[in-house]
Amino acid sequence: MGIVSPGFRRKRRDEDVELPPGQYLTEDFPVLSAGPTPNIPLDRWQFTISSEIGQEYRWTWDELLELPAEEPTVDIHCVTKWSKLGTTWRGVSLDLLMEDVETTADYALVHSYGGYTTNLPLEDLLDGKAWVVYEFEGSELAPQHGGPARLLVPHLYFWKSAKWVRGIQLQEFDEPGFWESVGYNNYGDPWREQRYAGD
């Protein structure tokens, strides 16, 4: 016969960890996209940072892989209310990619293969806050999760971590991206529950 302690309740897994408001914990990796998954041959893949005066800094797939990589382990939070904790990625920090870029811009508009865009303040891509990642949990990043490479900005809702990333346009003004233009919050801080415009 088992011993039962009065008042003892086993905590659910998502009660053991601190999550942003309104989020629930998931162990799987839901797939959500704003359109079809593009097919991007690696010999044609490139990533370009364009300054506000039109100066371009460009990397091919092979050149990206030759850069020093980092392996951030981070929590990710989707606007659709799921959170996945302790995810491990491999990729190149935006700090390194921006190292030789001359700019006075305050904003960035991220572009993806397939036409998706999202906007961020430039400061949210720097100081160890963002990467262009190409591996997830030790394997190549699958196309349905943004492979061959996606942006990773884990401190914001996951729609800001653009799948199939192809470039960043630096701007002196803020220009709404795809979801921001149809009612999502312009910034998207999960800890302030900034899901929609006005939140």
Side-chain angles (χ1 to χ4, degrees):
M1 181 170 153
I3 299 173
V4 178
S5 299
F8 175 79
R9 262 188 328 147
R10 183 175 175 186
K11 286 187 177 180
R12 287 174 40 223
R13 175 85 193 266
D14 56 350
E15 292 175 349
D16 292 339
V17 296
E18 185 178 7
L19 294 175
Q23 296 292 109
Y24 69 89
L25 192 63
T26 186
E27 297 294 331
D28 58 1
F29 197 166
V31 175
L32 301 165
S33 300
T37 300
N39 179 20
I40 308 150
L42 295 182
D43 61 351
R44 290 178 34 212
W45 184 94
Q46 59 182 300
F47 180 77
T48 305
I49 297 176
S50 303
S51 77
E52 68 276 20
I53 61 169
Q55 180 72 38
E56 291 191 342
Y57 306 80
R58 192 179 311 266
W59 294 266
T60 65
W61 182 253
D62 289 339
E63 289 168 341
L64 182 77
L65 296 185
E66 289 172 3
L67 295 174
E70 296 180 3
E71 293 191 355
T73 297
V74 297
D75 302 337
I76 54 177
H77 309 289
C78 183
V79 71
T80 61
K81 301 192 175 184
W82 60 262
S83 290
K84 186 171 177 63
L85 306 183
T87 62
T88 300
W89 308 77
R90 182 176 177 84
V92 179
S93 75
L94 260 293
D95 293 309
L96 180 61
L97 294 169
M98 287 287 297
E99 200 170 59
D100 296 324
V101 177
E102 294 183 21
T103 184
T104 59
D106 291 320
Y107 300 98
L109 187 65
V110 180
H111 294 267
S112 295
Y113 290 94
Y116 179 81
T117 58
T118 190
N119 59 307
L120 305 99
L122 181 56
E123 66 183 2
D124 284 283
L125 297 176
L126 303 175
D127 297 324
K129 297 178 194 167
W131 298 263
V132 173
V133 294
Y134 46 79
E135 288 185 12
F136 174 69
E137 303 294 353
S139 299
E140 289 181 0
L141 185 60
Q144 68 266 29
H145 293 305
R150 77 177 298 155
L151 187 65
L152 177 65
V153 190
H155 67 283
L156 299 177
Y157 279 124
F158 211 42
W159 90 79
K160 295 290 188 176
S161 295
K163 294 181 177 183
W164 316 300
V165 68
R166 68 174 177 85
I168 296 174
Q169 180 181 345
L170 303 176
Q171 302 183 149
E172 295 174 345
F173 56 91
D174 193 15
E175 179 181 344
F178 176 84
W179 286 117
E180 297 84 3
S181 297
V182 295
Y184 276 42
N185 189 276
N186 201 51
Y187 186 62
D189 183 346
W191 294 98
R192 292 159 62 191
E193 207 168 2
Q194 293 178 327
R195 299 179 197 277
Y196 306 109
D199 287 349

